[in-house]
C-alpha cells in the first residue's frame, strides 16, 4: 500500500498533522505501508494537491484547502477557507459518509483534529506524541502566555518550528516524520541537523525584528509594515505584537523569494477583542486562514498590487 500525504508545507501544524496521520494509516492499513510526503503551499510555483501529486493507492490532504478530485481518499482541515466554492463543499459532503473526510473549523489545529479522530474513531494509540500534539496546537493557535514566549528561541521546540517554516519541503517532511514517530519531540528538536539548519536562519530573525522596528507605521489600532524593499528570508509572526503590545491587528507585506506575501493577524495579548474575521477578509483577495490570522499571496512581480491590498486591509481593520 502506497499512501501519499499532501500536507501544508513550511508549517509546524502541517508537519505534526502528517506525523499523527501516519500513525493512523499504519494502524488502518497495517505493516508494509509506504508513505510519500508532499509539502503544499499557496504561493506562486508552490505545490498543490493535483491528480499528479495524489498518485498513491490512498491519498490524503491535511491542513490545506480541499482538493476536488476523485483521487482524494482522506481529508482533514480546520481552516474556514477550506472550500473555494459550493461545488467543493458539495463534493466534500458526498465523501463525508465514507468516514475519512473531516472538516472542523472550530479546532485550533489540524493536528488536534487528526489526533482526536485517530483515537476516538479508529482506536489508535498516540503514545509518545503528546508533546507534538500540544506544541502544534499552541503554535497554530498562538496560545502563548505573551509574545515574548512566542519569540523565545531558547526553546528547542520553537527553533524546530522556525526550521520547519523555513525548510519544510518534501525532503524535510520525509526526514522528520519517521523520527517524530519514534523519538520524543524534545529529542528531535535538539538533533544536530536541526540545530545546524537553525543556525543558518538565526540571524534572519534578528534582522527581521530590526526591519519591523524601523519600518512599522501605526494606523490607529493597526500596525502596518512594508518590507518589500528587499527579499525576506522569513516572517516573524509575533514580532509586531512584542514591539507594539497595544496594537490590536498587524498587516505585514513582504517580498519573498517566489512571491509577495501579506500576513494579517490579531494580537491576542492586546486586551481588546477580535471583532473581524481575518480569514474572510483574506479570502476576498484569494487568500485564507483563520478568524485570528490569515494571509494573501501574489506573484513576485505584483508588488504594487500587494501594497495596495495591504493598505486596504489595514484601513478596514482600523475601522
Amino acid at each position: 500500500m502506497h499512501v501519499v500525504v499532501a500536507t501544508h508545507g513550511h508549517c509546524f501544524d502541517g508537519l505534526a498533522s502528517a506525523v499523527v496521520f501516519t500513525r493512523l494509516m499504519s494502524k488502518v492499513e497495517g505493516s508494509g505501508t509506504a508513505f510519500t510526503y508532499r509539502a503544499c503551499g499557496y504561493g506562486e510555483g508552490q505545490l498543490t494537491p493535483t491528480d499528479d501529486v495524489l498518485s498513491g493507492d490512498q491519498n490524503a490532504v491535511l491542513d490545506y484547502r480541499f482538493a476536488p478530485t476523485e483521487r482524494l481518499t482522506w481529508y482533514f482541515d480546520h481552516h474556514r477557507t477550506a472550500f473555494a466554492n459550493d461545488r467543493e463543499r458539495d463534493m466534500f459532503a458526498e465523501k463525508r459518509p465514507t468516514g475519512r473526510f473531516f472538516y472542523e473549523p472550530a479546532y485550533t489545529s489540524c493536528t488536534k483534529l487528526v489526533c482526536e479522530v485517530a483515537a476516538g474513531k479508529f482506536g489508535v494509540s498516540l503514545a509518545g506524541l503528546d508533546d507534538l500534539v500540544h506544541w502544534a496546537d499552541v503554535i497554530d493557535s498562538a496560545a502563548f502566555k505573551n509574545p515574548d514566549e512566542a519569540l523565545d528561541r531558547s526553546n528547542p521546540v520553537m527553533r524546530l518550528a522556525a526550521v520547519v517554516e523555513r525548510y519544510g519541503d518534501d525532503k524535510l517532511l520525509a526526514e522528520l516524520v519517521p523520527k517524530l514517530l519514534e523519538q520524543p519531540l524534545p529529542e528531535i528538536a535538539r538533533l544536530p541537523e536541526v540545530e545546524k539548519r537553525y543556525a543558518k536562519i538565526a540571524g534572519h530573525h534578528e534582522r527581521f525584528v530590526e526591519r519591523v522596528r524601523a519600518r512599522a507605521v501605526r494606523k490607529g489600532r493597526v500596525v502596518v509594515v512594508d518590507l518589500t524593499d528587499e527579499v525576506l528570508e522569513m516572517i516573524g509572526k509575533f514580532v509586531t505584537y512584542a514591539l507594539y503590545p497595544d496594537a490590536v491587528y498587524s498587516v505585514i507585506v513582504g517580498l519573498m523569494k517566489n512571491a509577495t506575501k501579506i500576513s494579517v493577524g490579531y494580537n491576542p495579548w492586546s486586551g481588546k477583542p477580535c471583532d473581524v474575521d481575518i480569514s474572510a477578509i483574506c479570502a476576498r483577495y484569494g487568500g485564507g486562514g483563520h478568524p485570528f490570522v490569515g494571509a494573501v499571496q501574489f506573484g513576485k512581480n505584483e508588488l504594487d498590487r500587494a501594497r495596495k491590498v495591504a493598505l486596504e486591509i489595514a484601513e478596514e481593520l482600523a475601522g
Side-chain angles (χ1 to χ4, degrees):
M1 175 66 67
H2 176 218
V3 180
V4 172
V5 182
T7 192
H8 192 187
H10 301 274
C11 171
F12 192 78
D13 190 30
L15 165 66
S17 296
V19 174
V20 179
F21 181 76
T22 300
R23 175 73 64 85
L24 166 61
M25 285 301 290
S26 296
K27 170 73 172 181
V28 171
E29 298 297 344
S31 60
T33 304
F35 294 90
T36 297
Y37 301 98
R38 306 305 303 271
C40 295
Y42 297 104
E44 183 179 357
Q46 292 183 297
L47 194 72
T48 58
T50 61
D51 282 357
D52 288 341
V53 172
L54 302 177
S55 58
D57 302 308
Q58 297 280 340
N59 299 288
V61 170
L62 314 175
D63 197 36
Y64 192 83
R65 284 179 181 166
F66 185 75
T69 169
E70 293 300 328
R71 296 202 61 82
L72 185 64
T73 55
W74 290 83
Y75 183 71
F76 290 85
D77 192 40
H78 68 132
H79 295 89
R80 289 198 180 188
T81 50
F83 306 103
N85 50 52
D86 289 341
R87 171 177 167 269
E88 291 188 4
R89 286 184 179 277
D90 291 343
M91 189 171 185
F92 171 82
E94 291 173 3
K95 288 178 173 289
R96 193 164 195 168
T98 66
R100 297 185 172 194
F101 284 69
F102 302 90
Y103 170 64
E104 300 293 344
Y107 272 71
T108 45
S109 68
C110 188
T111 301
K112 188 174 182 179
L113 173 59
V114 181
C115 172
E116 294 191 2
V117 168
K121 184 177 176 62
F122 294 94
V124 175
S125 170
L126 299 171
L129 299 181
D130 289 350
D131 279 344
L132 180 69
V133 175
H134 166 75
W135 277 106
D137 204 52
V138 168
I139 292 170
D140 214 50
S141 62
F144 301 98
K145 295 177 182 177
N146 52 59
D148 291 329
E149 184 181 53
L151 297 171
D152 181 13
R153 293 301 187 267
S154 67
N155 182 343
V157 175
M158 295 306 294
R159 294 199 297 270
L160 174 60
V163 167
V164 173
E165 289 179 8
R166 176 64 179 85
Y167 298 107
D169 58 8
D170 298 6
K171 182 179 178 181
L172 188 68
L173 291 174
E175 175 186 332
L176 289 180
V177 170
K179 291 179 179 178
L180 286 165
L181 284 166
E182 299 296 331
Q183 297 174 251
L185 173 63
E187 290 184 12
I188 299 301
R190 291 184 174 89
L191 287 175
E193 53 265 40
V194 172
E195 293 290 1
K196 183 178 179 180
R197 288 186 176 102
Y198 179 73
K200 294 180 180 179
I201 62 175
H204 297 311
H205 175 74
E206 298 303 322
R207 168 69 174 153
F208 181 82
V209 172
E210 292 308 313
R211 291 187 67 201
V212 170
R213 195 191 306 275
R215 300 181 68 85
V217 175
R218 286 295 293 265
K219 288 185 176 294
R221 62 180 186 168
V222 184
V223 176
V224 186
V225 192
D226 186 336
L227 300 175
T228 59
D229 58 318
E230 62 181 75
V231 174
L232 287 172
E233 293 292 335
M234 62 165 288
I235 292 181
K237 296 179 181 178
F238 308 109
V239 170
T240 52
Y241 309 143
L243 297 178
Y244 302 91
D246 63 326
V248 182
Y249 300 102
S250 71
V251 179
I252 301 174
V253 54
L255 178 63
M256 313 302 288
K257 286 185 176 180
N258 298 310
T260 307
K261 182 176 182 179
I262 301 171
S263 299
V264 186
Y266 161 70
N267 179 2
W269 307 285
S270 66
K272 304 291 178 60
C274 181
D275 54 8
V276 299
D277 182 346
I278 290 176
S279 66
I281 294 174
C282 292
R284 295 204 303 264
Y285 298 98
H290 303 290
F292 305 124
V293 63
V296 185
Q297 290 198 173
F298 298 102
K300 189 176 180 180
N301 61 344
E302 296 181 282
L303 282 177
D304 290 341
R305 184 185 177 200
R307 292 190 188 108
K308 181 176 181 293
V309 168
L311 288 176
E312 289 177 2
I313 293 174
E315 289 171 1
E316 180 173 352
L317 292 173

